[in-house]
Amino acid sequence: MKNALTGSWIWFSLAAIALIVALGGTSYAALSNSTVGTKQLKNGAVGPAKLKNGAVGTGKLQNGAVTSAKLQNGAVTALKLNLTGVTVPNALHANAADSATSATNATSATNATNATNATNATNATTAASANALNGAVIVHGKTATNPKNSQSNEQVDCPTGMHAISGGVIDSGGLDQSVNNWGIENSTTPPTPPTPDTTNNEVFGAVNNTSTTTDETFNVWALCINGAVTGSSFPPPA
């Protein structure tokens, strides 16, 4: 037998639940495409934590959107840079530079104010004949005797093809011994009359020994280079 009272109570309960839901104002609606736009987003609502890795690519960025002010210090490292086609117009310090203000060691220095060691220096303020100084040699002449109460002469020649640019005389140190003169000249017989000579490959010296009791010795030496020498001998022949 159907219980009429129990049935009425069930229908009353369902009606009460429906009324409570209606009075509570709770509603549900499905979101369609384009329902939430930029106007519905609060400033700062989408932070880094809400973005999937790789969600924002280059195609999503407007030209000029990311400036230096937007980059954190150290954010862009050398590994992130594509250096293809990148040139540096002016460099304050460069390991290898076509134009170097100061180049201690330069293989090729087109314009160098100071070039201590330069293989090729087209224009150098301080390296006048850099190539000529490569292979410069000092030639030390044989020991010459300087007998008592006499003047002795000696000379030393540079290697074939080289030229003398300096030299000197070293005596044995006798108190009565002195260098009378020394100079640079051509080791071959000059023409008559003498003409400007570009050979100048010999250094000569004349030493006086005025002692009446002691014989002395001396040496002549020459600094020889590969570069050409202009002008006549030094000092000019008498």
Side-chain angles (χ1 to χ4, degrees), residues 95-119:
N95 292 333
D98 290 335
S99 296
T101 302
S102 296
T104 301
N105 296 294
T107 301
S108 297
T110 303
N111 297 296
T113 302
N114 297 301
T116 304
N117 297 304
T119 302

PDB file of all heavy atoms in Angstrom, residues 95-119:
ATOM      1  N   ASN A  95      92.830  43.274 -29.658  1.00  0.00           N
ATOM      2  CA  ASN A  95      93.988  42.396 -29.712  1.00  0.00           C
ATOM      3  C   ASN A  95      94.661  42.478 -31.076  1.00  0.00           C
ATOM      4  O   ASN A  95      95.875  42.475 -31.200  1.00  0.00           O
ATOM      5  CB  ASN A  95      93.569  40.952 -29.426  1.00  0.00           C
ATOM      6  CG  ASN A  95      93.136  40.789 -28.001  1.00  0.00           C
ATOM      7  OD1 ASN A  95      93.566  41.511 -27.128  1.00  0.00           O
ATOM      8  ND2 ASN A  95      92.266  39.818 -27.751  1.00  0.00           N
ATOM      9  N   ALA A  96      93.851  42.511 -32.123  1.00  0.00           N
ATOM     10  CA  ALA A  96      94.393  42.666 -33.467  1.00  0.00           C
ATOM     11  C   ALA A  96      93.631  43.787 -34.135  1.00  0.00           C
ATOM     12  O   ALA A  96      92.431  43.696 -34.313  1.00  0.00           O
ATOM     13  CB  ALA A  96      94.238  41.362 -34.254  1.00  0.00           C
ATOM     14  N   ALA A  97      94.305  44.864 -34.487  1.00  0.00           N
ATOM     15  CA  ALA A  97      93.646  46.028 -35.052  1.00  0.00           C
ATOM     16  C   ALA A  97      94.430  46.533 -36.240  1.00  0.00           C
ATOM     17  O   ALA A  97      95.655  46.580 -36.211  1.00  0.00           O
ATOM     18  CB  ALA A  97      93.503  47.139 -34.003  1.00  0.00           C
ATOM     19  N   ASP A  98      93.694  46.912 -37.324  1.00  0.00           N
ATOM     20  CA  ASP A  98      94.362  47.484 -38.484  1.00  0.00           C
ATOM     21  C   ASP A  98      95.043  48.789 -38.114  1.00  0.00           C
ATOM     22  O   ASP A  98      96.119  49.101 -38.598  1.00  0.00           O
ATOM     23  CB  ASP A  98      93.353  47.733 -39.605  1.00  0.00           C
ATOM     24  CG  ASP A  98      92.858  46.425 -40.200  1.00  0.00           C
ATOM     25  OD1 ASP A  98      93.599  45.433 -40.102  1.00  0.00           O
ATOM     26  OD2 ASP A  98      91.747  46.403 -40.736  1.00  0.00           O
ATOM     27  N   SER A  99      94.393  49.577 -37.261  1.00  0.00           N
ATOM     28  CA  SER A  99      94.992  50.815 -36.786  1.00  0.00           C
ATOM     29  C   SER A  99      95.073  50.744 -35.276  1.00  0.00           C
ATOM     30  O   SER A  99      94.066  50.632 -34.609  1.00  0.00           O
ATOM     31  CB  SER A  99      94.138  52.016 -37.206  1.00  0.00           C
ATOM     32  OG  SER A  99      94.118  52.112 -38.611  1.00  0.00           O
ATOM     33  N   ALA A 100      96.277  50.781 -34.745  1.00  0.00           N
ATOM     34  CA  ALA A 100      96.477  50.648 -33.309  1.00  0.00           C
ATOM     35  C   ALA A 100      97.291  51.819 -32.819  1.00  0.00           C
ATOM     36  O   ALA A 100      98.351  52.104 -33.353  1.00  0.00           O
ATOM     37  CB  ALA A 100      97.183  49.333 -32.977  1.00  0.00           C
ATOM     38  N   THR A 101      96.780  52.522 -31.797  1.00  0.00           N
ATOM     39  CA  THR A 101      97.532  53.639 -31.238  1.00  0.00           C
ATOM     40  C   THR A 101      98.787  53.139 -30.567  1.00  0.00           C
ATOM     41  O   THR A 101      99.881  53.657 -30.758  1.00  0.00           O
ATOM     42  CB  THR A 101      96.661  54.400 -30.222  1.00  0.00           C
ATOM     43  OG1 THR A 101      95.483  54.850 -30.891  1.00  0.00           O
ATOM     44  CG2 THR A 101      97.404  55.596 -29.649  1.00  0.00           C
ATOM     45  N   SER A 102      98.667  52.125 -29.750  1.00  0.00           N
ATOM     46  CA  SER A 102      99.835  51.528 -29.104  1.00  0.00           C
ATOM     47  C   SER A 102      99.820  50.041 -29.362  1.00  0.00           C
ATOM     48  O   SER A 102      98.894  49.353 -28.962  1.00  0.00           O
ATOM     49  CB  SER A 102      99.813  51.799 -27.592  1.00  0.00           C
ATOM     50  OG  SER A 102      99.914  53.180 -27.361  1.00  0.00           O
ATOM     51  N   ALA A 103     100.819  49.540 -30.078  1.00  0.00           N
ATOM     52  CA  ALA A 103     100.898  48.109 -30.379  1.00  0.00           C
ATOM     53  C   ALA A 103     102.263  47.621 -29.959  1.00  0.00           C
ATOM     54  O   ALA A 103     103.250  47.886 -30.612  1.00  0.00           O
ATOM     55  CB  ALA A 103     100.676  47.856 -31.868  1.00  0.00           C
ATOM     56  N   THR A 104     102.314  46.921 -28.821  1.00  0.00           N
ATOM     57  CA  THR A 104     103.603  46.417 -28.339  1.00  0.00           C
ATOM     58  C   THR A 104     104.143  45.362 -29.280  1.00  0.00           C
ATOM     59  O   THR A 104     105.281  45.410 -29.714  1.00  0.00           O
ATOM     60  CB  THR A 104     103.441  45.839 -26.922  1.00  0.00           C
ATOM     61  OG1 THR A 104     102.940  46.878 -26.074  1.00  0.00           O
ATOM     62  CG2 THR A 104     104.784  45.359 -26.383  1.00  0.00           C
ATOM     63  N   ASN A 105     103.288  44.417 -29.644  1.00  0.00           N
ATOM     64  CA  ASN A 105     103.679  43.391 -30.596  1.00  0.00           C
ATOM     65  C   ASN A 105     102.610  43.331 -31.666  1.00  0.00           C
ATOM     66  O   ASN A 105     101.483  42.923 -31.398  1.00  0.00           O
ATOM     67  CB  ASN A 105     103.811  42.018 -29.913  1.00  0.00           C
ATOM     68  CG  ASN A 105     104.922  42.018 -28.885  1.00  0.00           C
ATOM     69  OD1 ASN A 105     106.089  42.142 -29.208  1.00  0.00           O
ATOM     70  ND2 ASN A 105     104.549  41.898 -27.616  1.00  0.00           N
ATOM     71  N   ALA A 106     102.927  43.754 -32.896  1.00  0.00           N
ATOM     72  CA  ALA A 106     101.947  43.772 -33.963  1.00  0.00           C
ATOM     73  C   ALA A 106     102.520  43.082 -35.180  1.00  0.00           C
ATOM     74  O   ALA A 106     103.604  43.422 -35.630  1.00  0.00           O
ATOM     75  CB  ALA A 106     101.555  45.204 -34.313  1.00  0.00           C
ATOM     76  N   THR A 107     101.795  42.088 -35.700  1.00  0.00           N
ATOM     77  CA  THR A 107     102.245  41.433 -36.921  1.00  0.00           C
ATOM     78  C   THR A 107     102.138  42.388 -38.093  1.00  0.00           C
ATOM     79  O   THR A 107     103.062  42.552 -38.875  1.00  0.00           O
ATOM     80  CB  THR A 107     101.405  40.170 -37.179  1.00  0.00           C
ATOM     81  OG1 THR A 107     101.537  39.300 -36.067  1.00  0.00           O
ATOM     82  CG2 THR A 107     101.885  39.460 -38.437  1.00  0.00           C
ATOM     83  N   SER A 108     101.009  43.050 -38.219  1.00  0.00           N
ATOM     84  CA  SER A 108     100.815  44.067 -39.245  1.00  0.00           C
ATOM     85  C   SER A 108     100.178  45.269 -38.597  1.00  0.00           C
ATOM     86  O   SER A 108      99.078  45.188 -38.073  1.00  0.00           O
ATOM     87  CB  SER A 108      99.916  43.537 -40.375  1.00  0.00           C
ATOM     88  OG  SER A 108     100.527  42.443 -41.013  1.00  0.00           O
ATOM     89  N   ALA A 109     100.891  46.406 -38.621  1.00  0.00           N
ATOM     90  CA  ALA A 109     100.349  47.635 -38.050  1.00  0.00           C
ATOM     91  C   ALA A 109     100.389  48.694 -39.135  1.00  0.00           C
ATOM     92  O   ALA A 109     101.438  49.230 -39.454  1.00  0.00           O
ATOM     93  CB  ALA A 109     101.154  48.071 -36.833  1.00  0.00           C
ATOM     94  N   THR A 110      99.222  48.983 -39.741  1.00  0.00           N
ATOM     95  CA  THR A 110      99.179  49.955 -40.824  1.00  0.00           C
ATOM     96  C   THR A 110      99.553  51.332 -40.322  1.00  0.00           C
ATOM     97  O   THR A 110     100.394  52.021 -40.887  1.00  0.00           O
ATOM     98  CB  THR A 110      97.777  49.980 -41.450  1.00  0.00           C
ATOM     99  OG1 THR A 110      97.441  48.667 -41.888  1.00  0.00           O
ATOM    100  CG2 THR A 110      97.740  50.933 -42.628  1.00  0.00           C
ATOM    101  N   ASN A 111      98.921  51.762 -39.242  1.00  0.00           N
ATOM    102  CA  ASN A 111      99.247  53.043 -38.635  1.00  0.00           C
ATOM    103  C   ASN A 111      99.463  52.805 -37.153  1.00  0.00           C
ATOM    104  O   ASN A 111      98.537  52.473 -36.437  1.00  0.00           O
ATOM    105  CB  ASN A 111      98.109  54.051 -38.829  1.00  0.00           C
ATOM    106  CG  ASN A 111      97.876  54.366 -40.292  1.00  0.00           C
ATOM    107  OD1 ASN A 111      98.746  54.917 -40.950  1.00  0.00           O
ATOM    108  ND2 ASN A 111      96.717  53.992 -40.801  1.00  0.00           N
ATOM    109  N   ALA A 112     100.698  52.965 -36.697  1.00  0.00           N
ATOM    110  CA  ALA A 112     101.004  52.709 -35.293  1.00  0.00           C
ATOM    111  C   ALA A 112     101.816  53.861 -34.753  1.00  0.00           C
ATOM    112  O   ALA A 112     102.838  54.227 -35.313  1.00  0.00           O
ATOM    113  CB  ALA A 112     101.765  51.399 -35.133  1.00  0.00           C
ATOM    114  N   THR A 113     101.337  54.472 -33.654  1.00  0.00           N
ATOM    115  CA  THR A 113     102.104  55.531 -33.020  1.00  0.00           C
ATOM    116  C   THR A 113     103.343  54.955 -32.377  1.00  0.00           C
ATOM    117  O   THR A 113     104.453  55.462 -32.535  1.00  0.00           O
ATOM    118  CB  THR A 113     101.246  56.232 -31.954  1.00  0.00           C
ATOM    119  OG1 THR A 113     100.064  56.744 -32.581  1.00  0.00           O
ATOM    120  CG2 THR A 113     102.011  57.384 -31.315  1.00  0.00           C
ATOM    121  N   ASN A 114     103.178  53.860 -31.642  1.00  0.00           N
ATOM    122  CA  ASN A 114     104.309  53.184 -31.025  1.00  0.00           C
ATOM    123  C   ASN A 114     104.228  51.708 -31.346  1.00  0.00           C
ATOM    124  O   ASN A 114     103.254  51.060 -31.006  1.00  0.00           O
ATOM    125  CB  ASN A 114     104.301  53.371 -29.492  1.00  0.00           C
ATOM    126  CG  ASN A 114     104.462  54.827 -29.104  1.00  0.00           C
ATOM    127  OD1 ASN A 114     105.442  55.462 -29.449  1.00  0.00           O
ATOM    128  ND2 ASN A 114     103.494  55.357 -28.376  1.00  0.00           N
ATOM    129  N   ALA A 115     105.231  51.175 -32.026  1.00  0.00           N
ATOM    130  CA  ALA A 115     105.271  49.747 -32.336  1.00  0.00           C
ATOM    131  C   ALA A 115     106.626  49.226 -31.918  1.00  0.00           C
ATOM    132  O   ALA A 115     107.616  49.428 -32.603  1.00  0.00           O
ATOM    133  CB  ALA A 115     105.033  49.507 -33.826  1.00  0.00           C
ATOM    134  N   THR A 116     106.666  48.582 -30.741  1.00  0.00           N
ATOM    135  CA  THR A 116     107.943  48.066 -30.239  1.00  0.00           C
ATOM    136  C   THR A 116     108.483  46.984 -31.142  1.00  0.00           C
ATOM    137  O   THR A 116     109.630  47.013 -31.576  1.00  0.00           O
ATOM    138  CB  THR A 116     107.765  47.523 -28.811  1.00  0.00           C
ATOM    139  OG1 THR A 116     107.231  48.561 -27.996  1.00  0.00           O
ATOM    140  CG2 THR A 116     109.101  47.072 -28.243  1.00  0.00           C
ATOM    141  N   ASN A 117     107.636  46.002 -31.454  1.00  0.00           N
ATOM    142  CA  ASN A 117     108.035  44.933 -32.358  1.00  0.00           C
ATOM    143  C   ASN A 117     106.995  44.836 -33.458  1.00  0.00           C
ATOM    144  O   ASN A 117     105.860  44.476 -33.207  1.00  0.00           O
ATOM    145  CB  ASN A 117     108.122  43.593 -31.612  1.00  0.00           C
ATOM    146  CG  ASN A 117     109.182  43.636 -30.529  1.00  0.00           C
ATOM    147  OD1 ASN A 117     110.332  43.921 -30.791  1.00  0.00           O
ATOM    148  ND2 ASN A 117     108.777  43.367 -29.296  1.00  0.00           N
ATOM    149  N   ALA A 118     107.355  45.181 -34.685  1.00  0.00           N
ATOM    150  CA  ALA A 118     106.400  45.135 -35.788  1.00  0.00           C
ATOM    151  C   ALA A 118     107.040  44.434 -36.969  1.00  0.00           C
ATOM    152  O   ALA A 118     108.114  44.814 -37.415  1.00  0.00           O
ATOM    153  CB  ALA A 118     105.962  46.541 -36.185  1.00  0.00           C
ATOM    154  N   THR A 119     106.373  43.379 -37.452  1.00  0.00           N
ATOM    155  CA  THR A 119     106.868  42.706 -38.640  1.00  0.00           C
ATOM    156  C   THR A 119     106.689  43.593 -39.859  1.00  0.00           C
ATOM    157  O   THR A 119     107.593  43.772 -40.665  1.00  0.00           O
ATOM    158  CB  THR A 119     106.116  41.376 -38.843  1.00  0.00           C
ATOM    159  OG1 THR A 119     106.292  40.570 -37.682  1.00  0.00           O
ATOM    160  CG2 THR A 119     106.653  40.629 -40.056  1.00  0.00           C
TER     161      THR A 119
END
